Amino acid sequence: MYNFKLDNGFSIDLEKSNNVFTPTGTSKVLVDAIIENIKNKKKVLDLGCGCGAIGLSLFKNNIVKEPIYASDISEEAVNDFRINSQKHKCKSIVKQSHLLKEWKEDKFEIIVCDVSAISEEVAKFSNWFDVTSCKTGIDGSKLMKEIFENIENYIEKPGHFYFPIISLSNVDYIKDYSFSKFKKIKKVKRFNWPLPEEMMKHFDDLKELKKKKCVDFKEVLGMVICYTDVYEVSFE
């Protein structure tokens, strides 16, 4: 059993298989951002759904017009989502899919994206990816760029797309690329977080990646501070 908890006190218990990605602070800040900006029920796609932390939290907070749609590249994650949606009495349509590939016949009012978005080099020494792959390229942009290129085809207008830019990636490049693709885009939330202790063992590697602009972080009072920014794209 896994408990996904937000800072506002909301929590949800979820079944999570050992080989399914464990939600992070990025998952939480995505949920927070959507709750703060969307006030009624929408047709939602949870892209990179994992065990269901984001999608089912949005359902519990009255953002989802049933059924909820969800997909993940992991078969085990898809199975976990189905189990959890039944547990929480949420109708769902769940598919195993590489990004948006299996949704060509559908359009959504909200797409929330929590696919891998950090540098592939960082993932090699992070326990976040002990159980799943991270094929994002050295600067973390590969999957996000593919999504940016295709996302508008899957949006029912007016609609919204929410995605994170994580500082363990090439923040400036991903931001500039997204702003070049979308006419109406804005940052709606930031979450600062300390570099996990296990990554400090590889701090020299991180500093080299920062020199190459593949990651970003700040050193403050002996701490290494990273951040996640959530962006909202509006399609009208």
Side-chain angles (χ1 to χ4, degrees), residues 167-168 187 190 192-195 200 203 206-207 210 215-227 229:
S167 66
L168 295 179
K187 183 170 71 176
R190 167 166 284 197
N192 293 307
W193 42 278
L195 187 73
M200 288 300 298
F203 191 49
L206 282 171
K207 287 191 286 187
K210 185 175 182 179
V215 303
D216 187 31
F217 54 81
K218 294 181 180 179
E219 296 179 67
V220 181
L221 300 175
M223 295 181 64
V224 178
I225 303 299
C226 302
Y227 57 87
D229 289 333

Side-chain angles (χ1 to χ4, degrees), residues 30-88:
L30 278 165
V31 174
D32 285 337
I34 296 172
I35 290 174
E36 290 170 8
N37 286 278
I38 301 295
K39 301 304 178 185
N40 50 13
K41 293 183 178 182
K42 303 288 186 180
K43 182 179 179 181
V44 175
L45 170 62
D46 183 356
L47 185 64
C49 64
C51 64
I54 292 177
L56 294 173
S57 293
L58 294 177
F59 168 72
K60 289 289 190 178
N61 281 276
N62 299 311
I63 303 297
V64 174
K65 182 192 301 180
E66 292 182 90
I68 189 170
Y69 297 79
S71 61
D72 200 288
I73 198 167
S74 161
E75 182 179 1
E76 288 182 84
V78 167
N79 290 335
D80 281 356
F81 194 104
R82 289 193 178 112
I83 291 168
N84 287 317
S85 62
Q86 291 174 0
K87 175 181 177 180
H88 291 285

Side-chain angles (χ1 to χ4, degrees), residues 45-182:
L45 170 62
D46 183 356
L47 185 64
C49 64
C51 64
I54 292 177
L56 294 173
S57 293
L58 294 177
F59 168 72
K60 289 289 190 178
N61 281 276
N62 299 311
I63 303 297
V64 174
K65 182 192 301 180
E66 292 182 90
I68 189 170
Y69 297 79
S71 61
D72 200 288
I73 198 167
S74 161
E75 182 179 1
E76 288 182 84
V78 167
N79 290 335
D80 281 356
F81 194 104
R82 289 193 178 112
I83 291 168
N84 287 317
S85 62
Q86 291 174 0
K87 175 181 177 180
H88 291 285
K89 297 179 171 56
C90 176
K91 297 176 183 177
S92 65
I93 296 175
V94 193
K95 299 181 181 183
Q96 185 177 4
S97 177
H98 171 72
L99 305 181
L100 293 156
K101 184 178 179 181
E102 299 300 322
W103 298 109
K104 292 179 180 177
E105 305 302 318
D106 294 278
K107 290 182 182 289
F108 308 93
E109 293 173 285
I110 292 177
I111 298 177
V112 54
C113 172
D114 195 20
V115 303
S116 302
I118 69 170
S119 164
E120 193 172 313
E121 295 302 306
V122 176
K124 291 176 182 177
F125 51 78
S126 166
N127 62 14
W128 295 331
F129 291 92
D130 286 348
V131 298
T132 188
S133 64
C134 180
K135 297 180 180 179
T136 56
I138 189 173
D139 67 351
S141 69
K142 182 178 179 181
L143 299 181
M144 298 308 297
K145 284 175 62 180
E146 185 175 343
I147 293 168
F148 294 161
E149 290 291 333
N150 296 287
I151 193 73
E152 189 170 3
N153 297 325
Y154 298 83
I155 292 287
E156 181 179 323
K157 301 175 182 178
H160 297 89
F161 168 45
Y162 290 90
F163 69 92
I165 297 181
I166 303 167
S167 66
L168 295 179
S169 66
N170 189 333
V171 173
D172 290 339
Y173 177 74
I174 297 171
K175 179 181 175 182
D176 289 347
Y177 196 91
S178 64
F179 273 71
S180 74
K181 294 298 297 182
F182 306 122

